[in-house]
Amino acid sequence: MRKNPNCLELYQQTLTSNISCLLEYVQKLVYLYERRGESLSLILLDVDNMKQINRRKGYKYGNFVLLKISEIISNSIRKSDIAGKYKGSSFLILLPNSDKEGANKVVERILDRIKNADFDLQVSFTIGIYSFVPNRHSVEELLNLIEAHLARAKIKGGVVLIQEELSKRSLNHQTLLEALSKESIEPAFQPIYNLENDRVEGYEVLMRLLTEDGKIVPASCFIEDLLKTSLMSPFEEVVLQKALSKFRSFGLGGRIYINFPYNFVNLIAKGKLKVSDFYREVISYGFEPSRVVLELPESKITGSTEDLVELVKEVRSYGFGVAVDDFGVEYSSVERLIKTKPDIVKLDGFFLKEAPSMLKWVVVGLKRLGFKVIAEQVEREEEFQLVKSLKFDMAQGFYLGKPQVL
């Protein structure tokens, strides 16, 4: 027996480099085989007694077992197949252009070779096989389905052939491509109310997709799939151009709140885009920069705080307003907030829904720092009365006005 590997060696040597890489392969194959209309198979192989192996022989030996299984899998699949270590003691195997019979043969080959492996202890498995022709499926749905079947089969162990059908998704990769080619992507305008004078302060631009039968699909239904493609930037460009044009042609008053394009911060930091280009586009539609507020969602900040501070300074130099969106969740940073000094802070609806008792202290703190504060996701009368009593400057949400496609 060779020297037992440590954890780092284990993850470096088990097929694909990491789980994110593996899941990216899955999603790309789903898109590809959806377009081809051909069968794709997924195999999830889990070691049932890994805890007992680690307890009896130690973690180094447990790592050796996993590495040996990885080698067996690698030698049992085609060069066109993909496999990698998944969660815990499980492995995920992707078999392009393979039906359930082909997938079952791969499993039999793996199990036969594992039986002949020189392990000091018996290794037991539960294996799930799912063969399907992709039809608007997401990676999350597929893996949740397989994991659920495996969890139910754990008592008996063995091989589970999953027959359950997943419901079709309303949108797929091809739908997104067609929407872009036809420019059936539209801005929706949601009013933002000034709570001091009970007037509309302005409108936030949101993304919507129009289907062939005239339905309006909110971004929440397709944004995750869109982010897995290279289409986000062109989608945002279409929405921005239409928003500026419609805002002017329909005579909407107040300010227009626009989300920073998804790669805006990174592209400017790398010198691939200039704020001056954005400025010229805005004024070409007859807008004064002072009427434009650029919203920077915390979830989009991937660069350094220093890059962000410089970007905000440059944006302000052209006369644009700056707001921080979704503050209080995900990657929110008080340090970044204080250093960038935005004009407005949009407080995520999480506080209103899940932690209303904290709202007073958060709002008081933000206002003492000199920020104007907007309450998001105001959807009921009692929520509206609460944000008014807490002296929010502005508010938006379905109670005050739903997003409208003009």
Side-chain angles (χ1 to χ4, degrees), residues 354-365:
E354 305 293 337
S357 60
M358 294 179 62
L359 269 177
K360 177 181 178 181
W361 311 112
V362 176
V363 174
V364 168

Side-chain angles (χ1 to χ4, degrees), residues 116-157:
N116 296 323
D118 186 20
F119 292 134
D120 291 349
L121 299 173
Q122 182 180 358
V123 184
S124 59
F125 300 90
T126 302
I127 302 173
I129 300 173
Y130 188 53
S131 299
F132 63 107
V133 175
N135 192 342
R136 304 176 186 178
H137 297 130
S138 71
V139 173
E140 293 80 8
E141 291 172 324
L142 292 166
L143 294 177
N144 286 342
L145 173 68
I146 299 172
E147 288 182 36
H149 278 270
L150 243 63
R152 291 194 290 269
K154 275 289 182 182
I155 298 174
K156 295 182 179 180

Side-chain angles (χ1 to χ4, degrees), residues 4-5 50-65 121:
N4 294 331
M50 202 66 232
K51 287 184 179 179
Q52 290 85 347
I53 293 172
N54 287 333
R55 193 176 298 122
R56 291 184 59 184
K57 300 286 290 184
Y59 285 100
K60 284 188 176 181
Y61 185 81
N63 288 342
F64 165 76
V65 170
L121 299 173

Side-chain angles (χ1 to χ4, degrees), residues 93-106:
I93 305 167
L94 290 66
L95 306 177
N97 199 23
S98 178
D99 56 17
K100 59 185 178 182
E101 286 78 16
N104 197 54
K105 287 179 181 178
V106 171

Side-chain angles (χ1 to χ4, degrees), residues 189-204 253-255 257 344 346 372-376 378 384 387-388 391-404:
F189 299 91
Q190 183 172 39
I192 297 173
Y193 276 84
N194 186 314
L195 298 180
E196 293 182 4
N197 57 25
D198 289 325
R199 294 181 180 177
V200 174
E201 146 77 16
Y203 296 84
E204 180 179 0
R255 306 173 86 184
Y257 288 69
I344 298 166
K346 300 184 76 174
K372 289 193 173 184
V373 188
I374 298 179
E376 295 186 299
V378 179
F384 177 61
V387 299
K388 284 190 73 174
K391 307 299 182 183
F392 273 84
D393 297 288
M394 290 166 276
Q396 70 181 105
F398 278 25
Y399 178 78
L400 296 167
K402 294 182 179 180
Q404 297 292 323

